[in-house]
Amino acid sequence: MLLDTASLYFRAYFGVPDTVRAPDGTPVNAVRGLLEFIGRLVQDHRPDDLVACWDNDWRPHWRVELIPSYKAHRVAVETEAGPDEEEAPDTLTPQVPVIAEVLEALGIARVGADGYEADDVIGTLTARATGPVDIVTGDRDLFQLVDDARGRRVLYPLKGVGTLQTTDEGWLRERYGVDGPGYADLALLRGDPSDGLPGVPGIGEKTAAKLLDAFGDLAGIMAAVDDPASRLTPAQRRRLDEARGYVAVAPKVVRVATDAPLPPFDPALPSAPRDPAALAALGERWGLGGALQRLLTTLRG
C-alpha cells in the first residue's frame, strides 16, 4: 500500500476541525486526522507493506523547464537553492514536520527522492513491485498507474478513507473510456488547471476520449494530424497542429517517473513502534491521544 501522504494530510486538515489542538494550543488536526486515516486503511486492508510517499520537491525544476506554468499558481515563495515553497494554510505547514517525526517513531517507511514528487516515488515503487499494489490518493493523476493484469489499483477517498472508490480498468473505461496509460494521454490533452497544465485548446475531456478511442494513443493522434485521410475534423487537426510544441514536452511532465532514485528503506508494516520512547514523547507533546493509541492497537492487530 502506497500513500500519497500530502494528499491525505491535506484532506485530514480540511476534514478535521482546527479546534483539535495540542496542549499548548497548536492545531494538530492534520496529524491526528492522518493517524486516523492510516489506522482505518490498515484495519480495512491489512497490507503487508506500507509506504508513506513524500514530496521532497512538489514542483520539480525539470518539469517547470518543460512547462513553465506547471503548478506556478501554487507557489508562495520562489527559492533559488531548493524547492519553491507551496501555498498552504498557516496552521498546516507547522504540522508537516510533526507528521514526519511521528511516522519515523512508528516505523512506517517515509520515502522521498530529491527533485521528485510523491507521485514519482509511487510510480517508481509501483514499477518495482512484484505483487499487487494499492495506491491511496486524492489525486486523479495517479489513475495512469492502474493496471488490472498486474494488480495495480487506486483507492480514491470519497469521504475520509472509510469510503474509497476502487479505481480499476473497468471503472476507468466506464468513466473516461480509457485504460491507465490512456488516462495520462487524456489528462495531457484535456489539461488540468489545478496543476497549471494548459492542455490543447478546444480539446476537452469528451473529445480527448473520442480521439484516443479512434487513434489508440497520443502518438496515433499526432500521426493522424499528418495523415490527410484521417477522420480528424479540420478544427481538431488545426488545434492539434498548433499545439505540437506542448504535445512534444507534456508527456514527460504528466507521466509519473518510474526511475526516481530512492533511498534504502524497510516497507514492512510495523506491528510495534520503532522508537516507543520517542513516540510516547511526541504523543504527549502534541496531544495525539486516542488517534495514536487506536493506530497502535490496529498495528498490533
Side-chain angles (χ1 to χ4, degrees):
M1 178 171 279
L2 305 177
L3 308 182
D4 182 2
T5 316
S7 167
L8 296 178
Y9 67 59
F10 264 93
R11 281 177 176 255
Y13 176 83
F14 288 107
V16 179
D18 67 1
T19 50
V20 174
R21 296 182 176 241
D24 67 359
T26 304
V28 288
N29 51 330
V31 185
R32 281 176 50 176
L34 181 65
L35 293 176
E36 297 280 15
F37 280 1
I38 293 173
R40 182 64 185 267
L41 288 165
V42 171
Q43 177 183 302
D44 290 352
H45 299 277
R46 301 308 306 186
D48 300 302
D49 297 329
L50 180 71
V51 183
C53 301
W54 205 258
D55 280 316
N56 279 20
D57 190 339
W58 66 280
R59 187 177 182 248
H61 183 64
W62 55 271
R63 281 194 168 104
V64 176
E65 279 189 321
L66 295 169
I67 299 181
S69 62
Y70 182 67
K71 295 186 178 179
H73 59 296
R74 287 157 55 181
V75 175
V77 178
E78 290 189 6
T79 306
E80 293 253 343
D84 294 333
E85 291 183 26
E86 184 179 11
E87 275 191 349
D90 289 345
T91 55
L92 171 58
T93 303
Q95 297 187 57
V96 177
V98 180
I99 289 169
E101 288 183 67
V102 172
L103 292 173
E104 174 68 25
L106 279 165
I108 292 174
R110 182 177 67 88
V111 180
D114 290 347
Y116 291 87
E117 302 177 50
D119 285 10
D120 301 313
V121 176
I122 290 170
T124 300
L125 290 173
T126 299
R128 289 182 185 178
T130 56
V133 178
D134 281 345
I135 299 161
V136 187
T137 180
D139 182 353
R140 291 182 177 88
D141 291 346
L142 288 166
F143 288 174
Q144 65 184 273
L145 295 174
V146 167
D147 183 340
D148 285 4
R150 300 181 66 208
R152 285 37 172 152
R153 61 183 188 171
V154 170
L155 305 180
Y156 184 88
L158 298 174
K159 185 176 182 182
V161 291
T163 307
L164 296 169
Q165 168 194 292
T166 300
T167 308
D168 56 13
E169 286 183 18
W171 189 92
L172 281 179
R173 289 195 181 282
E174 184 177 339
R175 174 65 178 81
Y176 296 106
V178 297
D179 60 8
Y183 186 84
D185 288 345
L186 179 87
L188 182 158
L189 291 164
R190 174 196 64 198
D192 186 348
S194 69
D195 279 343
L197 293 172
V200 177
I203 304 291
E205 186 170 285
K206 288 182 180 177
T207 300
K210 287 177 182 175
L211 291 172
L212 289 165
D213 184 54
F215 301 107
D217 57 16
L218 187 65
I221 292 170
M222 297 313 292
V225 175
D226 296 322
D227 177 5
S230 71
R231 292 171 291 155
L232 289 170
T233 68
Q236 289 169 351
R237 193 181 306 276
R238 175 178 53 79
R239 287 165 177 156
L240 288 160
D241 185 51
E242 290 172 351
R244 282 183 192 272
Y246 165 75
V247 171
V249 299
K252 189 171 181 185
V253 176
V254 173
R255 292 172 188 155
V256 299
T258 57
D259 58 354
L262 305 183
F265 66 95
D266 180 1
L269 182 72
S271 58
R274 173 185 292 138
D275 190 335
L279 189 63
L282 287 164
E284 186 173 350
R285 164 74 178 83
W286 298 108
L288 302 180
L292 181 57
Q293 291 309 312
R294 281 188 290 276
L295 174 55
L296 288 171
T297 299
T298 302
L299 289 173
R300 283 194 295 268

PDB file of all heavy atoms in Angstrom, residues 10-11 35 103 109 111 138 181 212 223 244 284 297:
ATOM      1  N   PHE A  10      -3.573  16.796   3.612  1.00  0.00           N
ATOM      2  CA  PHE A  10      -4.401  17.944   3.231  1.00  0.00           C
ATOM      3  C   PHE A  10      -5.872  17.626   3.488  1.00  0.00           C
ATOM      4  O   PHE A  10      -6.622  18.442   4.024  1.00  0.00           O
ATOM      5  CB  PHE A  10      -4.194  18.306   1.757  1.00  0.00           C
ATOM      6  CG  PHE A  10      -3.193  19.412   1.528  1.00  0.00           C
ATOM      7  CD1 PHE A  10      -1.865  19.117   1.284  1.00  0.00           C
ATOM      8  CD2 PHE A  10      -3.573  20.748   1.554  1.00  0.00           C
ATOM      9  CE1 PHE A  10      -0.919  20.118   1.066  1.00  0.00           C
ATOM     10  CE2 PHE A  10      -2.648  21.768   1.337  1.00  0.00           C
ATOM     11  CZ  PHE A  10      -1.322  21.456   1.095  1.00  0.00           C
ATOM     12  N   ARG A  11      -6.285  16.420   3.110  1.00  0.00           N
ATOM     13  CA  ARG A  11      -7.679  16.019   3.347  1.00  0.00           C
ATOM     14  C   ARG A  11      -7.989  15.967   4.841  1.00  0.00           C
ATOM     15  O   ARG A  11      -9.073  16.354   5.282  1.00  0.00           O
ATOM     16  CB  ARG A  11      -7.957  14.667   2.697  1.00  0.00           C
ATOM     17  CG  ARG A  11      -8.184  14.782   1.211  1.00  0.00           C
ATOM     18  CD  ARG A  11      -8.400  13.442   0.538  1.00  0.00           C
ATOM     19  NE  ARG A  11      -8.696  13.683  -0.865  1.00  0.00           N
ATOM     20  CZ  ARG A  11      -9.909  13.579  -1.412  1.00  0.00           C
ATOM     21  NH1 ARG A  11     -10.932  13.233  -0.669  1.00  0.00           N
ATOM     22  NH2 ARG A  11     -10.090  13.835  -2.691  1.00  0.00           N
ATOM     23  N   LEU A  35      -3.298  10.074  11.211  1.00  0.00           N
ATOM     24  CA  LEU A  35      -3.167   8.849  12.002  1.00  0.00           C
ATOM     25  C   LEU A  35      -4.467   8.033  11.955  1.00  0.00           C
ATOM     26  O   LEU A  35      -4.436   6.804  11.851  1.00  0.00           O
ATOM     27  CB  LEU A  35      -2.806   9.185  13.450  1.00  0.00           C
ATOM     28  CG  LEU A  35      -1.422   9.804  13.680  1.00  0.00           C
ATOM     29  CD1 LEU A  35      -1.247  10.175  15.150  1.00  0.00           C
ATOM     30  CD2 LEU A  35      -0.316   8.856  13.226  1.00  0.00           C
ATOM     31  N   LEU A 103       5.730   9.422  12.018  1.00  0.00           N
ATOM     32  CA  LEU A 103       5.903   8.264  11.129  1.00  0.00           C
ATOM     33  C   LEU A 103       7.238   7.572  11.404  1.00  0.00           C
ATOM     34  O   LEU A 103       7.324   6.335  11.433  1.00  0.00           O
ATOM     35  CB  LEU A 103       5.821   8.697   9.662  1.00  0.00           C
ATOM     36  CG  LEU A 103       4.453   9.170   9.175  1.00  0.00           C
ATOM     37  CD1 LEU A 103       4.560   9.730   7.755  1.00  0.00           C
ATOM     38  CD2 LEU A 103       3.424   8.051   9.218  1.00  0.00           C
ATOM     39  N   ALA A 109       7.568   3.438   6.938  1.00  0.00           N
ATOM     40  CA  ALA A 109       8.524   3.974   5.968  1.00  0.00           C
ATOM     41  C   ALA A 109       7.989   5.264   5.350  1.00  0.00           C
ATOM     42  O   ALA A 109       6.854   5.317   4.871  1.00  0.00           O
ATOM     43  CB  ALA A 109       8.787   2.945   4.873  1.00  0.00           C
ATOM     44  N   VAL A 111       9.189   7.796   2.412  1.00  0.00           N
ATOM     45  CA  VAL A 111      10.168   7.742   1.331  1.00  0.00           C
ATOM     46  C   VAL A 111       9.944   8.892   0.351  1.00  0.00           C
ATOM     47  O   VAL A 111       8.831   9.079  -0.168  1.00  0.00           O
ATOM     48  CB  VAL A 111      10.083   6.399   0.570  1.00  0.00           C
ATOM     49  CG1 VAL A 111      11.111   6.345  -0.546  1.00  0.00           C
ATOM     50  CG2 VAL A 111      10.286   5.234   1.540  1.00  0.00           C
ATOM     51  N   GLY A 138      -5.889  11.176  -3.296  1.00  0.00           N
ATOM     52  CA  GLY A 138      -6.987  12.010  -3.767  1.00  0.00           C
ATOM     53  C   GLY A 138      -6.619  12.729  -5.052  1.00  0.00           C
ATOM     54  O   GLY A 138      -7.296  13.677  -5.453  1.00  0.00           O
ATOM     55  N   PRO A 181      -2.690   3.871 -18.798  1.00  0.00           N
ATOM     56  CA  PRO A 181      -1.819   4.723 -19.612  1.00  0.00           C
ATOM     57  C   PRO A 181      -2.612   5.735 -20.442  1.00  0.00           C
ATOM     58  O   PRO A 181      -2.159   6.862 -20.665  1.00  0.00           O
ATOM     59  CB  PRO A 181      -1.089   3.720 -20.508  1.00  0.00           C
ATOM     60  CG  PRO A 181      -1.108   2.438 -19.745  1.00  0.00           C
ATOM     61  CD  PRO A 181      -2.417   2.442 -19.012  1.00  0.00           C
ATOM     62  N   LEU A 212      -8.740   9.316 -28.487  1.00  0.00           N
ATOM     63  CA  LEU A 212      -7.954   8.165 -28.026  1.00  0.00           C
ATOM     64  C   LEU A 212      -8.618   6.860 -28.440  1.00  0.00           C
ATOM     65  O   LEU A 212      -7.936   5.892 -28.795  1.00  0.00           O
ATOM     66  CB  LEU A 212      -7.770   8.229 -26.505  1.00  0.00           C
ATOM     67  CG  LEU A 212      -6.814   9.334 -26.029  1.00  0.00           C
ATOM     68  CD1 LEU A 212      -6.968   9.564 -24.534  1.00  0.00           C
ATOM     69  CD2 LEU A 212      -5.366   8.967 -26.363  1.00  0.00           C
ATOM     70  N   ALA A 223      -0.055  11.254 -35.348  1.00  0.00           N
ATOM     71  CA  ALA A 223       0.149  10.699 -36.690  1.00  0.00           C
ATOM     72  C   ALA A 223      -1.051  11.029 -37.579  1.00  0.00           C
ATOM     73  O   ALA A 223      -0.899  11.313 -38.780  1.00  0.00           O
ATOM     74  CB  ALA A 223       0.369   9.198 -36.610  1.00  0.00           C
ATOM     75  N   ARG A 244       1.649  21.383 -31.229  1.00  0.00           N
ATOM     76  CA  ARG A 244       2.732  20.402 -31.317  1.00  0.00           C
ATOM     77  C   ARG A 244       3.824  20.632 -30.273  1.00  0.00           C
ATOM     78  O   ARG A 244       4.366  19.685 -29.704  1.00  0.00           O
ATOM     79  CB  ARG A 244       3.364  20.436 -32.710  1.00  0.00           C
ATOM     80  CG  ARG A 244       2.567  19.727 -33.765  1.00  0.00           C
ATOM     81  CD  ARG A 244       3.302  19.760 -35.100  1.00  0.00           C
ATOM     82  NE  ARG A 244       2.466  19.340 -36.195  1.00  0.00           N
ATOM     83  CZ  ARG A 244       2.319  18.071 -36.583  1.00  0.00           C
ATOM     84  NH1 ARG A 244       2.950  17.105 -35.929  1.00  0.00           N
ATOM     85  NH2 ARG A 244       1.544  17.767 -37.621  1.00  0.00           N
ATOM     86  N   GLU A 284       2.581  12.822  23.815  1.00  0.00           N
ATOM     87  CA  GLU A 284       2.295  13.731  24.935  1.00  0.00           C
ATOM     88  C   GLU A 284       2.468  15.184  24.512  1.00  0.00           C
ATOM     89  O   GLU A 284       1.623  16.037  24.823  1.00  0.00           O
ATOM     90  CB  GLU A 284       3.226  13.414  26.108  1.00  0.00           C
ATOM     91  CG  GLU A 284       2.896  14.218  27.359  1.00  0.00           C
ATOM     92  CD  GLU A 284       3.709  13.766  28.563  1.00  0.00           C
ATOM     93  OE1 GLU A 284       4.385  12.719  28.487  1.00  0.00           O
ATOM     94  OE2 GLU A 284       3.682  14.485  29.585  1.00  0.00           O
ATOM     95  N   THR A 297      -3.018   0.054  18.368  1.00  0.00           N
ATOM     96  CA  THR A 297      -3.818  -1.153  18.594  1.00  0.00           C
ATOM     97  C   THR A 297      -4.071  -1.885  17.267  1.00  0.00           C
ATOM     98  O   THR A 297      -3.956  -3.120  17.186  1.00  0.00           O
ATOM     99  CB  THR A 297      -5.175  -0.779  19.231  1.00  0.00           C
ATOM    100  OG1 THR A 297      -4.918  -0.160  20.489  1.00  0.00           O
ATOM    101  CG2 THR A 297      -6.042  -2.020  19.441  1.00  0.00           C
TER     102      THR A 297
END
